Amino acid sequence: NGCDPIQIISAEKLVETETGPAENAKIARTIEGKAGIGEYLLDESVWECIWTELIVKKKGLKTFVDREGVTERNYWFSEEMLEEMLLELNRLIDKYSSNESPDFWFAQQTAQDLVALFTEHRALVQDELDEVRTPQGRRKLSAEDFLGPRERDERKKSRQMQELDRIFREMGQEARNRALDDMESENNKDYSKFFNDLDNKMLQQRRDRHKKAVFEEAHMRESRLQK
């Protein structure tokens, strides 16, 4: 039957003050009693204290909320990308809300937890989409945002039209026609070979790193056996 998940953990809920202790307890109860792990688990009376020390007082290793530089608030998504997110979220919610044969998903607690998380996230995505669609909204997209192919194409055409208008005003119709021909030639270029070559190169790099890691791990095991 493959590998079935036994628990759903939300990283976001784990670091929130209101939900963190309960999410932390879910992790502990999942490993409680498991051979090779459960015997190292501390008593339930200290679980919340440990969570507070690690997450609130930050005495442990850094988590994703401690990273410096780019944050989720520094960039936005375009309308088309948010629409695709909503389509996928709706698909997943429909799937795991189903309680029909052969999967009977919603009878499982893991599926119920997934649906709850997806539903919360869908509301956030919908709010962002509404803000992007509103002309007076605070989310003004820039070239550094995640625009999607349709939005990028529309912006490129807008820039090209502005440039053609400038050339016409400053240099006349003939210069504008030449510039238009150059733009159309550039737009029709086929970059598929470049990206295919790039994909193949990155794939080979991943394979090389994997081989290196496997070799180093085997070497370390052999060294420990010899000792």
Side-chain angles (χ1 to χ4, degrees), residues 99-199:
N99 206 24
E100 298 178 358
S101 177
D103 298 309
F104 299 103
W105 284 115
F106 209 60
Q108 305 174 38
Q109 185 61 48
T110 49
Q112 295 175 30
D113 291 346
L114 272 179
V115 169
L117 290 173
F118 289 149
T119 302
E120 290 180 15
H121 192 57
R122 179 175 62 181
L124 295 174
V125 174
Q126 184 63 58
D127 287 344
E128 184 170 343
L129 177 58
D130 292 341
E131 289 192 20
V132 170
R133 282 174 170 170
T134 304
Q136 294 78 25
R138 66 183 182 88
R139 304 202 177 198
K140 303 299 182 183
L141 297 175
S142 70
E144 286 72 35
D145 292 322
F146 292 91
L147 301 179
R150 189 178 68 214
E151 180 71 23
R152 285 198 302 269
D153 187 55
E154 290 176 356
R155 288 178 174 236
K156 181 178 180 180
K157 290 178 179 178
S158 177
R159 290 194 302 271
Q160 289 179 338
M161 291 304 299
Q162 292 175 8
E163 178 64 12
L164 290 173
D165 289 342
R166 184 192 65 79
I167 293 173
F168 175 74
R169 291 193 307 270
E170 297 178 2
M171 306 172 65
Q173 183 64 44
E174 186 175 344
R176 182 189 185 281
N177 291 340
R178 289 197 301 270
L180 178 60
D181 290 339
D182 292 341
M183 289 178 181
E184 290 178 346
S185 176
E186 180 67 23
N187 292 339
N188 292 329
K189 277 188 177 179
D190 184 3
Y191 293 96
S192 58
K193 184 179 184 304
F194 169 80
F195 287 108
N196 286 335
D197 291 344
L198 181 62
D199 283 343

Side-chain angles (χ1 to χ4, degrees), residues 15 17 48-63 65-66:
V15 298
T17 305
E48 185 168 346
C49 177
I50 293 173
W51 177 86
T52 301
E53 294 293 309
L54 293 175
I55 303 300
V56 179
K57 298 183 179 179
K58 301 184 183 300
K59 292 186 178 180
L61 298 175
K62 285 187 176 182
T63 68
V65 296
D66 303 313

